[in-house]
Amino acid sequence: MASFLDLFKVSFLWSLLSIGSNLGTLKGSSSGHVGVFPPTCNRIECPSFDVIHSGNGFEIRQYNSPVWMSTSPIDDISFVGATRTGFLQSMVNLLPFQTCRLFDYIQGKNEYQQQIEMTGPVITEVKPSDGPFCASSFVVSFFVPKENQANTPPAKGLHVQRWGQTHVAVRQFSGFVADEDVGKEAASLYNSIAGTIWSDAIDKSHAGENTTLYIVAQYNSPFEFENRVNEIWLTFDMNEDEI
């Protein structure tokens, strides 16, 4: 089992290195399907959730208090480049000290020197810029396995996000993620929930500086060319009596 997970770590590493260039022509054509269980989650741990509503091209999930290890915000004009930076490359040019990259973190380069099992998905929070040639802000996060959540190993340049119980509007799409996909898929998700109680809750939760914030979740190894599952997430707060 350990050797398989080590192989998956290397596979995901290669995926993030390659996805922006060589694999761009391998994007899938299917978008907006929902209810597909990511095959990766049969092999590695993923956060638990309950589906509370299925709509036309979207579903609403309730995530049960996931914990994430996250980078500091990364300014980049490319989603692919920022995700690669957050997972693989130290951000020595962005911060006044050497930071820990997420791949190094799970390999044991943390304050406990503890190796951590690979999980899915790796998520990238996106706060788009105001123009096509301006840098957007990205935060890349790794889902912390349940066995490490109570005492998550700290690391320089990374921080823990404890979400608590969180509602998420989700749109799924296939293929290898490219820069031109993310904004289009996020807009399609928002359009599909327009006029529903979910869009009202999302607008309220994303008011002010977080108006256009969304998340891209990536699950698959690069060696899986079929049945790839990626997701756009819009997180929001909602009370039980509002559902």
Side-chain angles (χ1 to χ4, degrees):
M1 184 64 176
S3 61
F4 174 82
L5 291 175
D6 288 342
L7 176 61
F8 183 85
K9 291 175 185 179
V10 174
S11 298
F12 199 92
L13 176 76
W14 179 251
S15 174
L16 293 177
L17 283 169
S18 307
I19 197 169
S21 54
N22 298 333
L23 298 178
T25 59
L26 295 175
K27 296 195 306 174
S29 59
S30 177
S31 293
H33 56 279
V34 291
V36 176
F37 186 77
T40 304
C41 295
N42 289 316
R43 306 190 297 269
I44 60 176
E45 184 179 348
C46 296
S48 61
F49 62 85
D50 298 306
V51 177
I52 62 175
H53 177 80
S54 294
N56 183 16
F58 72 95
E59 68 182 16
I60 305 297
R61 300 174 183 169
Q62 180 176 287
Y63 276 85
N64 302 310
S65 305
V67 178
W68 308 88
M69 181 59 73
S70 304
T71 68
S72 299
I74 301 166
D75 292 333
D76 203 313
I77 62 171
S78 167
F79 163 84
V80 171
T83 301
R84 182 170 58 240
T85 295
F87 203 79
L88 299 177
Q89 300 173 352
S90 69
M91 295 182 292
V92 66
N93 295 325
L94 302 180
L95 296 172
F97 49 82
Q98 182 75 25
T99 64
C100 181
R101 48 196 170 182
L102 289 169
F103 186 76
D104 283 345
Y105 175 80
I106 63 178
Q107 290 292 90
K109 294 184 180 179
N110 52 67
E111 291 188 16
Y112 297 167
Q113 297 184 340
Q114 180 178 359
Q115 288 195 349
I116 299 172
E117 295 293 344
M118 186 64 197
T119 62
V122 169
I123 64 172
T124 303
E125 299 172 63
V126 184
K127 188 174 182 181
S129 66
D130 293 327
F133 303 108
C134 300
S136 298
S137 180
F138 305 89
V139 173
V140 185
S141 300
F142 164 82
F143 172 61
V144 178
K146 288 184 175 63
E147 68 173 337
N148 303 110
Q149 290 183 6
N151 187 21
T152 304
K156 184 185 295 184
L158 301 177
H159 64 279
V160 176
Q161 289 195 62
R162 298 182 183 275
W163 277 15
Q165 193 175 81
T166 303
H167 289 89
V168 183
V170 178
R171 174 182 175 85
Q172 294 181 328
F173 62 103
S174 62
F176 290 89
V177 182
D179 286 335
E180 61 267 25
D181 292 330
V182 292
K184 177 185 68 176
E185 296 293 345
S188 295
L189 171 59
Y190 195 83
N191 289 338
S192 69
I193 61 176
T196 67
I197 60 171
W198 317 113
S199 65
D200 292 341
I202 289 169
D203 287 343
K204 185 184 298 183
S205 297
H206 289 240
E209 293 185 358
N210 290 329
T211 301
T212 55
L213 183 66
Y214 56 89
I215 294 171
V216 183
Q218 299 183 74
Y219 290 89
N220 292 82
S221 159
F223 300 116
E224 296 175 275
F225 296 102
E226 297 181 351
N227 302 317
R228 297 187 63 84
V229 179
N230 313 295
E231 294 175 340
I232 296 289
W233 294 359
L234 290 172
T235 60
F236 61 97
D237 299 319
M238 191 169 235
N239 298 325
E240 293 293 334
D241 57 4
E242 296 179 290
I243 299 177

